[in-house]
Amino acid sequence: MGAYNTIAFDAEKCDGCGDCMTACATAKTGTTEISRSRIQIAGNAAEGFELALCRQCGDPKCVTVCPAGALGKDYASGVIDWDGGKCVDCLLCTVGCAYAGIALDAGTGHVAKCDMCDGAPACVPACPHGALKLVTTSRIYNEVGNWEDLFAPGLAGCQGCNTELLMRHTLRRVGPETVLATPPGCVPGMGSVGFNGTTGTKVPVFHPLLTNTAAMLAGIKRQYKRVGREVNALAIAGDGGASDVGFQSLSGAAERNEQILFMVVDNEGYMNTGMQRSSCTPYGAWTSTTPVGQGSGGMPSQGKTQDAKNLPLIMVNHRCEYVATASTAYMEDLYDKLDKAIQASKRGFAYLHVYSPCTTGWRFPTDQNMEVARKAVETNFVMLWEYNPRDGLQFTRPVDQPLPVTEYLKAMGRFRHLSPDQISHIQGKVVENLAFVKQMAQRQSA
Amino acid sequence: MEQTKYLVVGSSHAALEAVTAIRMHDTEGSLMLLTRDPHLPYSPTVLPYVVSGRSAPDAIFLRDEKFFARQKVQLKRGTALKALHVERNAAELADGSEIAYEKVLLATGASPAIPPIPGIDTVSYHVLRTLDDATKLNAAIKQSKQAVVLGAGLVGMHAAENLVKAGARVTIVEMAKQLTDGYFDTTAAGLIEKAFTDNGATILTGSRVVKLEPSAVGAKLTLENGTALEADLLLVATGVRPNMDFLAGSRVEQDKGILVGDSMQTSVANVWSAGDCAQARGFFTDAKVMNAILPDAAEQGRIAGMAMAGDPGLKAYPGGVPLNTYHFFGRHAISVGSSRVPEGGEVVTRFDEASGRYLKAIFKDGCLLGIYGVNEFFDGGVMCQLILRRVDLSAVKERFLANPLATGRELMSKLWR
């Protein structure tokens, strides 16, 4: 059983034009009577428009109250099918459904419900405002859900951390023919290198020093090449190990265009050792080494006083085979980039920089990880782009109307102390960084 | 002696939902489903359509053998429960054998209640509760020239319509002052009655049969007022009584049905009951009521199954809300909620005689208590949520009554998603 595609409705974009209903009625009844459409827009301009549509429930009430066995969930497609040959028109399904997802079609005298048009719903492309979308995110789950998970069960991450998800997805995708390097940081801290003499992975894994990760991995890859074996050389490193003390070997491997895939999980600090600042920690952020308090000499401490180093842009300047930024709030984007990075790593150095909100160190509720990651992108605090030497730098998820950066800052505790001046500094940096990356995008694509 | 962790007795909606709920939480515990019916599970609600010929008798089953195999359920068909020995956790079957259980669900449904009319045991008559009843009635209808239906509930009315359409002269005899009493009010009942009389049926409400005797045609009925009726087909559809004879002498408390609490447990800790045999709290009253309708059976069965398996997601039963739908001569009627108007309640009706569209809603303190319509379609499930959530509709009442379909959907989107 897989996960299913869904018709998603964005009420804010709907103006009640009814084109979706016309499209549905046309497709399903051959008429333009919108009362016969299986998607129904309710409401008004003043209070907003709402949707009545079958939700293809996982635990469908309409099915349980059907006395004739005429309704049933198709676990392959996810659609609740209606069998007109068995239906007795008793309407009990309409009494069972709390969402008005199945209703009487006066034109036929039978009930009618959305059947997802065999996977290509007619209503979705008919919406001129983009208020209806066929959400196909489940394709990742359907595609990789049955692939072997190459990490052992029971990794010990903090509650709400997205790094386990990232590690498991990444190694699944890169596959079993892999040698993995995980330098000190949260990733081995969660158990990648294992306990009691067993590794935490089902592929060879090693634990280099913070300083020599890229160098050791490059050597291993070369040795495998020399003996004629094709393996993927993958590093999953933290931002501290990559941008600070490990930068020399990273830069060297990129310069030599070693055939490795180097993934940085950027939680903007040394989180597993007690949340110290790194060069990727943003301006103003509280960490245990950039505290908030009285300070000394009449200068209160207000978090980090320097701006973050933009490591992925520095990697672009190595003209790597592939460089990209990604976020677990946008898994399809991440998967696309992972695919490209794997391919690129067969030719040369591939670098993937994934933002990883830290529930513990950034101080936000454990159920908010994806929301914080999404807010980072929606405010342009984090930009999602990719680079290769042929096509230059391109945004993969440009944000046309960014939210004010405060929407991101207020989502977590590490920025709670910020003064208005600090906030305007951060907002200014967001604008500056965007302009800078845009310039690169234009220059390199020109 | 056979042993099982879960024993479910019955095979209709309540039992099937319980099986699903148990298996959601406990995929392995041994589970046995016992039913006196020889067939695969089906719904009593579909039987009128088997009578009419619309549903093929072999196409109405709600589950197949594969389902039970997949769910690791041992299915015993044609096996009636004779006695439940709660003191030693054993179910005695009709053949005298016993099954030891840890937890048992009684979802045994109901059987036709046969009125004590003098002479009723001297004539042959039909009832409609099982698939075998339905196939027999289906065959008999085709032969019938003059039929009498005792009882104008939904089962009787359905069968009467089938008889009318098959060409028989049909008389419906009902003790109450109106037909479909308890489901619909006098106006709605009037619409239903007119549809029947327009199609040639005779309806005798407020009438009681005092004598039944065999006759050349089949049966002769004598009414209280002296009228005599002859029937070549007699259908007794005067209501049902819960199946709970197997509890005789046990300490499982009973009233009109098997008394249950808000997780469908009976007065005995490891015995649950759900569906048409159970008597549970009503939504509109704390008193325990019989609410023998399909959606409530499914709801109760699910709750019982979750409680039996120890599912922590269990939520207490909100109380039974009456829900009924009825099709007659191409028209439909839907009733949701209470038909009783409480003190201080407000009744609003709208009736368009030309189109036969009728809507009635009952409010109390701004909240909807009940709504029904004839040929006026609204989302019954949405209405039911408005009732269960006790949504104050004062501000939108006019709009709601003018268009319960659209207004209900707007409210739905604002209140639950």
Side-chain angles (χ1 to χ4, degrees), chain B residues 7 9 34 81 83-85 89-93 97-101 104:
Chain B
L7 178 64
V9 191
L34 207 66
L81 175 63
L84 193 71
H85 302 291
N89 298 327
E92 185 186 338
L93 308 184
S97 65
E98 289 198 355
I99 294 163
Y101 61 82
V104 63

Side-chain angles (χ1 to χ4, degrees), chain B residues 77-161:
Chain B
R77 298 196 244 163
T79 311
L81 175 63
K82 187 166 134 200
L84 193 71
H85 302 291
V86 296
E87 65 290 349
R88 53 189 164 90
N89 298 327
E92 185 186 338
L93 308 184
D95 65 4
S97 65
E98 289 198 355
I99 294 163
Y101 61 82
E102 287 176 36
K103 301 172 180 193
V104 63
L105 171 66
L106 304 171
T108 47
S111 293
I114 306 302
I117 302 168
I120 194 159
D121 49 354
T122 65
V123 298
S124 79
Y125 58 88
H126 287 266
V127 293
L128 181 54
R129 183 69 191 188
T130 66
L131 179 53
D132 293 342
D133 294 341
T135 43
K136 265 185 251 163
L137 189 54
N138 169 269
I141 274 182
K142 293 168 191 156
Q143 315 296 326
S144 177
K145 302 270 183 297
Q146 51 189 110
V148 172
V149 175
L150 294 190
L154 297 186
V155 171
M157 297 306 286
H158 256 297
E161 181 175 340

Side-chain angles (χ1 to χ4, degrees), chain B residues 189-211:
Chain B
L191 288 169
I192 296 168
E193 178 161 351
K194 184 160 188 313
F196 273 81
T197 48
D198 284 353
N199 282 279
T202 307
I203 293 177
L204 305 173
T205 46
S207 300
R208 185 191 297 266
V209 181
V210 293
K211 192 174 158 198

Side-chain angles (χ1 to χ4, degrees), chain A residues 40 43 47 50-51 55 59 61 64-67 69 86-90 94-95 97-100 103-104, chain B residues 13 17 43 45-46 49 54-55 59 294 302 323 325 327 332 377 379-381 385 409-410 412-414 416-417:
Chain A
Q40 286 290 330
E47 294 176 65
E50 292 291 355
L51 184 68
R55 288 146 196 248
D59 183 15
K61 199 79 179 279
T64 66
V65 301
C66 175
K86 286 185 173 180
C87 178
V88 295
D89 299 331
C90 72
T94 71
V95 176
C97 177
Y99 303 105
L104 179 70
Chain B
H13 294 280
E17 279 304 298
S43 175
T45 306
V46 81
Y49 304 94
R54 175 163 185 165
S55 295
L294 191 167
R302 164 175 310 219
L323 302 164
T325 61
H327 250 271
H332 61 81
F377 182 77
D379 300 299
Q385 288 294 318
R409 289 172 178 180
E410 277 173 47
M412 163 193 87
S413 298
K414 292 195 174 70
W416 66 92
R417 284 169 187 274

